[in-house]
PDB file of all heavy atoms in Angstrom:
ATOM      1  N   VAL A   1     -15.606 -33.585-116.514  1.00 97.00           N
ATOM      2  CA  VAL A   1     -14.580 -33.779-115.499  1.00 97.00           C
ATOM      3  C   VAL A   1     -14.413 -35.229-115.259  1.00 97.00           C
ATOM      4  O   VAL A   1     -13.313 -35.808-115.034  1.00 97.00           O
ATOM      5  CB  VAL A   1     -15.093 -33.035-114.168  1.00 97.00           C
ATOM      6  CG1 VAL A   1     -14.261 -33.557-112.972  1.00 97.00           C
ATOM      7  CG2 VAL A   1     -14.988 -31.556-114.342  1.00 97.00           C
ATOM      8  N   ILE A   2     -15.551 -36.002-115.169  1.00 97.00           N
ATOM      9  CA  ILE A   2     -15.502 -37.475-114.925  1.00 97.00           C
ATOM     10  C   ILE A   2     -14.755 -38.110-116.154  1.00 97.00           C
ATOM     11  O   ILE A   2     -13.923 -39.095-115.998  1.00 97.00           O
ATOM     12  CB  ILE A   2     -16.871 -37.979-114.780  1.00 97.00           C
ATOM     13  CG1 ILE A   2     -17.425 -37.511-113.425  1.00 97.00           C
ATOM     14  CG2 ILE A   2     -16.874 -39.592-114.810  1.00 97.00           C
ATOM     15  CD1 ILE A   2     -18.860 -37.914-113.145  1.00 97.00           C
ATOM     16  N   GLU A   3     -15.000 -37.698-117.401  1.00 97.00           N
ATOM     17  CA  GLU A   3     -14.452 -38.273-118.519  1.00 97.00           C
ATOM     18  C   GLU A   3     -12.852 -37.999-118.616  1.00 97.00           C
ATOM     19  O   GLU A   3     -12.041 -38.874-118.841  1.00 97.00           O
ATOM     20  CB  GLU A   3     -15.012 -37.788-119.841  1.00 97.00           C
ATOM     21  CG  GLU A   3     -16.467 -38.384-120.002  1.00 97.00           C
ATOM     22  CD  GLU A   3     -17.123 -37.831-121.274  1.00 97.00           C
ATOM     23  OE1 GLU A   3     -16.851 -36.590-121.651  1.00 97.00           O
ATOM     24  OE2 GLU A   3     -17.946 -38.563-121.900  1.00 97.00           O
ATOM     25  N   ARG A   4     -12.529 -36.615-118.343  1.00 97.00           N
ATOM     26  CA  ARG A   4     -11.157 -36.217-118.439  1.00 97.00           C
ATOM     27  C   ARG A   4     -10.356 -36.519-117.276  1.00 97.00           C
ATOM     28  O   ARG A   4      -9.118 -36.484-117.263  1.00 97.00           O
ATOM     29  CB  ARG A   4     -11.147 -34.710-118.843  1.00 97.00           C
ATOM     30  CG  ARG A   4     -11.804 -34.401-120.145  1.00 97.00           C
ATOM     31  CD  ARG A   4     -12.045 -32.893-120.245  1.00 97.00           C
ATOM     32  NE  ARG A   4     -10.773 -32.120-120.276  1.00 97.00           N
ATOM     33  CZ  ARG A   4     -10.398 -31.321-119.295  1.00 97.00           C
ATOM     34  NH1 ARG A   4     -11.211 -31.165-118.180  1.00 97.00           N
ATOM     35  NH2 ARG A   4      -9.237 -30.611-119.431  1.00 97.00           N
ATOM     36  N   LYS A   5     -11.083 -36.722-116.068  1.00 97.00           N
ATOM     37  CA  LYS A   5     -10.372 -36.882-114.805  1.00 97.00           C
ATOM     38  C   LYS A   5      -9.497 -35.538-114.420  1.00 97.00           C
ATOM     39  O   LYS A   5      -8.524 -35.734-113.721  1.00 97.00           O
ATOM     40  CB  LYS A   5      -9.519 -38.188-114.811  1.00 97.00           C
ATOM     41  CG  LYS A   5     -10.347 -39.420-115.050  1.00 97.00           C
ATOM     42  CD  LYS A   5      -9.591 -40.664-114.789  1.00 97.00           C
ATOM     43  CE  LYS A   5     -10.393 -41.860-114.867  1.00 97.00           C
ATOM     44  NZ  LYS A   5      -9.715 -43.123-114.597  1.00 97.00           N
ATOM     45  N   ARG A   6     -10.032 -34.529-114.838  1.00 97.00           N
ATOM     46  CA  ARG A   6      -9.459 -33.235-114.569  1.00 97.00           C
ATOM     47  C   ARG A   6     -10.525 -32.185-114.295  1.00 97.00           C
ATOM     48  O   ARG A   6     -11.571 -32.314-114.928  1.00 97.00           O
ATOM     49  CB  ARG A   6      -8.536 -32.696-115.699  1.00 97.00           C
ATOM     50  CG  ARG A   6      -7.317 -33.559-116.033  1.00 97.00           C
ATOM     51  CD  ARG A   6      -6.310 -33.398-114.834  1.00 97.00           C
ATOM     52  NE  ARG A   6      -5.134 -34.217-115.088  1.00 97.00           N
ATOM     53  CZ  ARG A   6      -4.930 -35.484-114.727  1.00 97.00           C
ATOM     54  NH1 ARG A   6      -5.964 -36.157-114.144  1.00 97.00           N
ATOM     55  NH2 ARG A   6      -3.803 -36.071-114.903  1.00 97.00           N
ATOM     56  N   GLY A   7     -10.327 -31.290-113.365  1.00 97.00           N
ATOM     57  CA  GLY A   7     -11.367 -30.298-113.110  1.00 97.00           C
ATOM     58  C   GLY A   7     -10.995 -29.231-112.154  1.00 97.00           C
ATOM     59  O   GLY A   7      -9.877 -29.199-111.694  1.00 97.00           O
ATOM     60  N   LEU A   8     -12.013 -28.472-111.818  1.00 97.00           N
ATOM     61  CA  LEU A   8     -11.801 -27.420-110.858  1.00 97.00           C
ATOM     62  C   LEU A   8     -11.972 -27.923-109.426  1.00 97.00           C
ATOM     63  O   LEU A   8     -12.588 -29.017-109.252  1.00 97.00           O
ATOM     64  CB  LEU A   8     -12.903 -26.272-111.035  1.00 97.00           C
ATOM     65  CG  LEU A   8     -12.786 -25.434-112.392  1.00 97.00           C
ATOM     66  CD1 LEU A   8     -14.001 -24.567-112.445  1.00 97.00           C
ATOM     67  CD2 LEU A   8     -11.487 -24.697-112.474  1.00 97.00           C
ATOM     68  N   PRO A   9     -11.541 -27.192-108.338  1.00 97.00           N
ATOM     69  CA  PRO A   9     -11.661 -27.742-107.022  1.00 97.00           C
ATOM     70  C   PRO A   9     -13.089 -28.078-106.711  1.00 97.00           C
ATOM     71  O   PRO A   9     -13.299 -29.081-106.066  1.00 97.00           O
ATOM     72  CB  PRO A   9     -11.115 -26.541-106.167  1.00 97.00           C
ATOM     73  CG  PRO A   9     -10.211 -25.767-107.110  1.00 97.00           C
ATOM     74  CD  PRO A   9     -10.751 -25.999-108.473  1.00 97.00           C
ATOM     75  N   VAL A  10     -14.119 -27.277-107.069  1.00 97.00           N
ATOM     76  CA  VAL A  10     -15.517 -27.580-106.697  1.00 97.00           C
ATOM     77  C   VAL A  10     -16.010 -28.763-107.359  1.00 97.00           C
ATOM     78  O   VAL A  10     -16.786 -29.537-106.711  1.00 97.00           O
ATOM     79  CB  VAL A  10     -16.390 -26.313-106.829  1.00 97.00           C
ATOM     80  CG1 VAL A  10     -16.490 -25.866-108.284  1.00 97.00           C
ATOM     81  CG2 VAL A  10     -17.736 -26.434-106.249  1.00 97.00           C
ATOM     82  N   ALA A  11     -15.686 -28.888-108.599  1.00 97.00           N
ATOM     83  CA  ALA A  11     -16.139 -30.119-109.382  1.00 97.00           C
ATOM     84  C   ALA A  11     -15.566 -31.362-108.796  1.00 97.00           C
ATOM     85  O   ALA A  11     -16.288 -32.322-108.576  1.00 97.00           O
ATOM     86  CB  ALA A  11     -15.865 -29.929-110.867  1.00 97.00           C
ATOM     87  N   LEU A  12     -14.197 -31.356-108.512  1.00 98.00           N
ATOM     88  CA  LEU A  12     -13.650 -32.493-107.932  1.00 98.00           C
ATOM     89  C   LEU A  12     -14.111 -32.745-106.608  1.00 98.00           C
ATOM     90  O   LEU A  12     -14.272 -33.885-106.126  1.00 98.00           O
ATOM     91  CB  LEU A  12     -12.034 -32.431-107.922  1.00 98.00           C
ATOM     92  CG  LEU A  12     -11.422 -32.372-109.343  1.00 98.00           C
ATOM     93  CD1 LEU A  12      -9.967 -31.784-109.170  1.00 98.00           C
ATOM     94  CD2 LEU A  12     -11.447 -33.591-110.009  1.00 98.00           C
ATOM     95  N   GLY A  13     -14.392 -31.665-105.819  1.00 98.00           N
ATOM     96  CA  GLY A  13     -14.908 -31.749-104.525  1.00 98.00           C
ATOM     97  C   GLY A  13     -16.208 -32.614-104.488  1.00 98.00           C
ATOM     98  O   GLY A  13     -16.419 -33.278-103.554  1.00 98.00           O
ATOM     99  N   MET A  14     -16.977 -32.441-105.446  1.00 98.00           N
ATOM    100  CA  MET A  14     -18.267 -33.206-105.529  1.00 98.00           C
ATOM    101  C   MET A  14     -18.038 -34.679-105.589  1.00 98.00           C
ATOM    102  O   MET A  14     -18.848 -35.409-105.091  1.00 98.00           O
ATOM    103  CB  MET A  14     -19.125 -32.696-106.776  1.00 98.00           C
ATOM    104  CG  MET A  14     -19.711 -31.361-106.515  1.00 98.00           C
ATOM    105  SD  MET A  14     -20.799 -30.929-108.021  1.00 98.00           S
ATOM    106  CE  MET A  14     -21.494 -29.372-107.376  1.00 98.00           C
ATOM    107  N   LEU A  15     -16.999 -35.122-106.276  1.00 98.00           N
ATOM    108  CA  LEU A  15     -16.732 -36.460-106.340  1.00 98.00           C
ATOM    109  C   LEU A  15     -16.335 -37.037-104.932  1.00 98.00           C
ATOM    110  O   LEU A  15     -16.872 -38.118-104.539  1.00 98.00           O
ATOM    111  CB  LEU A  15     -15.515 -36.823-107.312  1.00 98.00           C
ATOM    112  CG  LEU A  15     -15.674 -36.289-108.709  1.00 98.00           C
ATOM    113  CD1 LEU A  15     -14.404 -36.687-109.555  1.00 98.00           C
ATOM    114  CD2 LEU A  15     -16.978 -36.844-109.393  1.00 98.00           C
ATOM    115  N   TYR A  16     -15.534 -36.322-104.184  1.00 98.00           N
ATOM    116  CA  TYR A  16     -15.201 -36.645-102.884  1.00 98.00           C
ATOM    117  C   TYR A  16     -16.368 -36.726-101.823  1.00 98.00           C
ATOM    118  O   TYR A  16     -16.572 -37.580-101.141  1.00 98.00           O
ATOM    119  CB  TYR A  16     -14.134 -35.829-102.258  1.00 98.00           C
ATOM    120  CG  TYR A  16     -12.713 -36.040-102.831  1.00 98.00           C
ATOM    121  CD1 TYR A  16     -12.382 -35.342-103.991  1.00 98.00           C
ATOM    122  CD2 TYR A  16     -11.861 -36.922-102.295  1.00 98.00           C
ATOM    123  CE1 TYR A  16     -11.060 -35.508-104.596  1.00 98.00           C
ATOM    124  CE2 TYR A  16     -10.590 -37.109-102.850  1.00 98.00           C
ATOM    125  CZ  TYR A  16     -10.243 -36.455-104.000  1.00 98.00           C
ATOM    126  OH  TYR A  16      -8.981 -36.592-104.525  1.00 98.00           O
ATOM    127  N   ILE A  17     -17.178 -35.627-102.009  1.00 97.00           N
ATOM    128  CA  ILE A  17     -18.421 -35.577-101.172  1.00 97.00           C
ATOM    129  C   ILE A  17     -19.319 -36.793-101.505  1.00 97.00           C
ATOM    130  O   ILE A  17     -19.875 -37.438-100.501  1.00 97.00           O
ATOM    131  CB  ILE A  17     -19.137 -34.213-101.422  1.00 97.00           C
ATOM    132  CG1 ILE A  17     -18.320 -33.046-100.864  1.00 97.00           C
ATOM    133  CG2 ILE A  17     -20.489 -34.213-100.763  1.00 97.00           C
ATOM    134  CD1 ILE A  17     -18.845 -31.722-101.231  1.00 97.00           C
ATOM    135  N   HIS A  18     -19.578 -37.065-102.727  1.00 97.00           N
ATOM    136  CA  HIS A  18     -20.478 -38.229-103.049  1.00 97.00           C
ATOM    137  C   HIS A  18     -19.951 -39.483-102.475  1.00 97.00           C
ATOM    138  O   HIS A  18     -20.672 -40.282-101.877  1.00 97.00           O
ATOM    139  CB  HIS A  18     -20.509 -38.290-104.596  1.00 97.00           C
ATOM    140  CG  HIS A  18     -21.388 -39.387-105.112  1.00 97.00           C
ATOM    141  ND1 HIS A  18     -22.889 -39.307-105.254  1.00 97.00           N
ATOM    142  CD2 HIS A  18     -21.137 -40.650-105.415  1.00 97.00           C
ATOM    143  CE1 HIS A  18     -23.323 -40.448-105.623  1.00 97.00           C
ATOM    144  NE2 HIS A  18     -22.343 -41.312-105.715  1.00 97.00           N
ATOM    145  N   ALA A  19     -18.662 -39.738-102.748  1.00 97.00           N
ATOM    146  CA  ALA A  19     -18.146 -41.059-102.222  1.00 97.00           C
ATOM    147  C   ALA A  19     -18.139 -41.148-100.762  1.00 97.00           C
ATOM    148  O   ALA A  19     -18.407 -42.195-100.170  1.00 97.00           O
ATOM    149  CB  ALA A  19     -16.634 -41.228-102.810  1.00 97.00           C
ATOM    150  N   ALA A  20     -17.706 -40.033-100.113  1.00 96.00           N
ATOM    151  CA  ALA A  20     -17.578 -40.101 -98.639  1.00 96.00           C
ATOM    152  C   ALA A  20     -19.037 -40.196 -98.020  1.00 96.00           C
ATOM    153  O   ALA A  20     -19.186 -41.094 -97.036  1.00 96.00           O
ATOM    154  CB  ALA A  20     -16.969 -38.753 -98.085  1.00 96.00           C
ATOM    155  N   ARG A  21     -20.021 -39.527 -98.452  1.00 96.00           N
ATOM    156  CA  ARG A  21     -21.356 -39.516 -97.909  1.00 96.00           C
ATOM    157  C   ARG A  21     -21.955 -40.976 -98.106  1.00 96.00           C
ATOM    158  O   ARG A  21     -22.618 -41.342 -97.277  1.00 96.00           O
ATOM    159  CB  ARG A  21     -22.107 -38.522 -98.523  1.00 96.00           C
ATOM    160  CG  ARG A  21     -21.788 -37.090 -97.852  1.00 96.00           C
ATOM    161  CD  ARG A  21     -22.712 -35.956 -98.457  1.00 96.00           C
ATOM    162  NE  ARG A  21     -22.453 -34.734 -97.909  1.00 96.00           N
ATOM    163  CZ  ARG A  21     -22.936 -33.537 -98.360  1.00 96.00           C
ATOM    164  NH1 ARG A  21     -23.908 -33.597 -99.302  1.00 96.00           N
ATOM    165  NH2 ARG A  21     -22.598 -32.358 -97.826  1.00 96.00           N
ATOM    166  N   ARG A  22     -21.732 -41.540 -99.159  1.00 95.00           N
ATOM    167  CA  ARG A  22     -22.165 -42.885 -99.473  1.00 95.00           C
ATOM    168  C   ARG A  22     -21.578 -43.907 -98.481  1.00 95.00           C
ATOM    169  O   ARG A  22     -22.200 -44.967 -98.222  1.00 95.00           O
ATOM    170  CB  ARG A  22     -21.909 -43.282-100.909  1.00 95.00           C
ATOM    171  CG  ARG A  22     -22.761 -42.642-101.921  1.00 95.00           C
ATOM    172  CD  ARG A  22     -24.238 -43.136-101.782  1.00 95.00           C
ATOM    173  NE  ARG A  22     -25.095 -42.468-102.783  1.00 95.00           N
ATOM    174  CZ  ARG A  22     -25.474 -42.967-103.972  1.00 95.00           C
ATOM    175  NH1 ARG A  22     -24.946 -44.239-104.296  1.00 95.00           N
ATOM    176  NH2 ARG A  22     -26.256 -42.419-104.726  1.00 95.00           N
ATOM    177  N   CYS A  23     -20.411 -43.627 -97.947  1.00 94.00           N
ATOM    178  CA  CYS A  23     -19.809 -44.436 -96.977  1.00 94.00           C
ATOM    179  C   CYS A  23     -20.112 -43.978 -95.531  1.00 94.00           C
ATOM    180  O   CYS A  23     -19.570 -44.582 -94.642  1.00 94.00           O
ATOM    181  CB  CYS A  23     -18.273 -44.401 -97.235  1.00 94.00           C
ATOM    182  SG  CYS A  23     -17.797 -45.138 -98.863  1.00 94.00           S
ATOM    183  N   GLY A  24     -20.994 -43.052 -95.375  1.00 94.00           N
ATOM    184  CA  GLY A  24     -21.380 -42.579 -94.024  1.00 94.00           C
ATOM    185  C   GLY A  24     -20.340 -41.680 -93.384  1.00 94.00           C
ATOM    186  O   GLY A  24     -20.385 -41.520 -92.133  1.00 94.00           O
ATOM    187  N   ILE A  25     -19.459 -41.145 -94.194  1.00 95.00           N
ATOM    188  CA  ILE A  25     -18.341 -40.240 -93.716  1.00 95.00           C
ATOM    189  C   ILE A  25     -19.003 -38.757 -93.731  1.00 95.00           C
ATOM    190  O   ILE A  25     -19.431 -38.353 -94.826  1.00 95.00           O
ATOM    191  CB  ILE A  25     -17.097 -40.334 -94.546  1.00 95.00           C
ATOM    192  CG1 ILE A  25     -16.569 -41.753 -94.372  1.00 95.00           C
ATOM    193  CG2 ILE A  25     -16.035 -39.355 -94.075  1.00 95.00           C
ATOM    194  CD1 ILE A  25     -15.534 -42.114 -95.445  1.00 95.00           C
ATOM    195  N   ALA A  26     -18.817 -37.963 -92.773  1.00 96.00           N
ATOM    196  CA  ALA A  26     -19.158 -36.562 -92.680  1.00 96.00           C
ATOM    197  C   ALA A  26     -18.180 -35.813 -93.453  1.00 96.00           C
ATOM    198  O   ALA A  26     -16.954 -35.734 -93.165  1.00 96.00           O
ATOM    199  CB  ALA A  26     -19.272 -36.097 -91.254  1.00 96.00           C
ATOM    200  N   VAL A  27     -18.611 -35.000 -94.469  1.00 97.00           N
ATOM    201  CA  VAL A  27     -17.735 -34.173 -95.229  1.00 97.00           C
ATOM    202  C   VAL A  27     -18.486 -32.927 -95.543  1.00 97.00           C
ATOM    203  O   VAL A  27     -19.658 -32.909 -95.961  1.00 97.00           O
ATOM    204  CB  VAL A  27     -17.221 -34.924 -96.580  1.00 97.00           C
ATOM    205  CG1 VAL A  27     -18.374 -35.317 -97.345  1.00 97.00           C
ATOM    206  CG2 VAL A  27     -16.231 -33.998 -97.232  1.00 97.00           C
ATOM    207  N   THR A  28     -17.791 -31.807 -95.465  1.00 97.00           N
ATOM    208  CA  THR A  28     -18.436 -30.454 -95.767  1.00 97.00           C
ATOM    209  C   THR A  28     -17.604 -29.599 -96.619  1.00 97.00           C
ATOM    210  O   THR A  28     -16.241 -29.600 -96.633  1.00 97.00           O
ATOM    211  CB  THR A  28     -18.568 -29.695 -94.356  1.00 97.00           C
ATOM    212  OG1 THR A  28     -19.298 -30.475 -93.466  1.00 97.00           O
ATOM    213  CG2 THR A  28     -19.293 -28.426 -94.560  1.00 97.00           C
ATOM    214  N   GLY A  29     -18.193 -28.969 -97.607  1.00 97.00           N
ATOM    215  CA  GLY A  29     -17.476 -27.995 -98.458  1.00 97.00           C
ATOM    216  C   GLY A  29     -17.221 -26.740 -97.724  1.00 97.00           C
ATOM    217  O   GLY A  29     -18.039 -26.299 -96.926  1.00 97.00           O
ATOM    218  N   ILE A  30     -15.971 -26.291 -97.882  1.00 96.00           N
ATOM    219  CA  ILE A  30     -15.524 -25.041 -97.130  1.00 96.00           C
ATOM    220  C   ILE A  30     -15.233 -23.967 -98.224  1.00 96.00           C
ATOM    221  O   ILE A  30     -14.520 -24.063 -99.135  1.00 96.00           O
ATOM    222  CB  ILE A  30     -14.264 -25.289 -96.335  1.00 96.00           C
ATOM    223  CG1 ILE A  30     -14.625 -26.442 -95.292  1.00 96.00           C
ATOM    224  CG2 ILE A  30     -13.772 -24.037 -95.729  1.00 96.00           C
ATOM    225  CD1 ILE A  30     -15.675 -25.999 -94.271  1.00 96.00           C
ATOM    226  N   ASP A  31     -15.818 -22.814 -97.950  1.00 93.00           N
ATOM    227  CA  ASP A  31     -15.748 -21.602 -98.853  1.00 93.00           C
ATOM    228  C   ASP A  31     -14.460 -20.850 -98.429  1.00 93.00           C
ATOM    229  O   ASP A  31     -14.537 -19.683 -97.940  1.00 93.00           O
ATOM    230  CB  ASP A  31     -16.968 -20.796 -98.748  1.00 93.00           C
ATOM    231  CG  ASP A  31     -16.917 -19.643 -99.846  1.00 93.00           C
ATOM    232  OD1 ASP A  31     -16.148 -19.680-100.882  1.00 93.00           O
ATOM    233  OD2 ASP A  31     -17.707 -18.682 -99.708  1.00 93.00           O
ATOM    234  N   PHE A  32     -13.302 -21.441 -98.642  1.00 93.00           N
ATOM    235  CA  PHE A  32     -12.060 -20.816 -98.234  1.00 93.00           C
ATOM    236  C   PHE A  32     -11.679 -19.810 -99.307  1.00 93.00           C
ATOM    237  O   PHE A  32     -12.104 -19.909-100.494  1.00 93.00           O
ATOM    238  CB  PHE A  32     -10.861 -21.875 -98.275  1.00 93.00           C
ATOM    239  CG  PHE A  32      -9.637 -21.407 -97.446  1.00 93.00           C
ATOM    240  CD1 PHE A  32      -9.599 -21.477 -96.125  1.00 93.00           C
ATOM    241  CD2 PHE A  32      -8.611 -20.928 -98.200  1.00 93.00           C
ATOM    242  CE1 PHE A  32      -8.517 -21.000 -95.364  1.00 93.00           C
ATOM    243  CE2 PHE A  32      -7.451 -20.483 -97.559  1.00 93.00           C
ATOM    244  CZ  PHE A  32      -7.443 -20.634 -96.081  1.00 93.00           C
ATOM    245  N   PRO A  33     -11.154 -18.603 -98.911  1.00 91.00           N
ATOM    246  CA  PRO A  33     -10.906 -17.557 -99.851  1.00 91.00           C
ATOM    247  C   PRO A  33     -10.092 -18.034-101.073  1.00 91.00           C
ATOM    248  O   PRO A  33      -9.024 -18.553-101.030  1.00 91.00           O
ATOM    249  CB  PRO A  33     -10.042 -16.568 -99.059  1.00 91.00           C
ATOM    250  CG  PRO A  33     -10.512 -16.799 -97.616  1.00 91.00           C
ATOM    251  CD  PRO A  33     -10.793 -18.201 -97.554  1.00 91.00           C
ATOM    252  N   GLY A  34     -10.768 -17.916-102.270  1.00 89.00           N
ATOM    253  CA  GLY A  34     -10.063 -18.252-103.509  1.00 89.00           C
ATOM    254  C   GLY A  34      -9.862 -19.651-103.851  1.00 89.00           C
ATOM    255  O   GLY A  34      -9.441 -20.001-104.962  1.00 89.00           O
TER     256      GLY A  34
END
């Protein structure tokens, strides 16, 4: 995913979570239907 810059929602979500948390931003994954 990192190499291709393409991925599934959960894989891409991990990038956002990592970056946000490193900056002290509260972010939570949401198990929305589908």
Side-chain angles (χ1 to χ4, degrees):
V1 169
I2 291 174
E3 288 178 329
R4 298 168 61 247
K5 300 192 175 183
R6 294 292 180 273
L8 296 175
V10 65
L12 294 168
M14 287 184 172
L15 304 182
Y16 286 90
I17 291 172
H18 178 87
R21 288 180 178 174
R22 284 295 179 93
C23 297
I25 299 165
V27 59
T28 306
I30 299 297
D31 187 19
F32 197 79

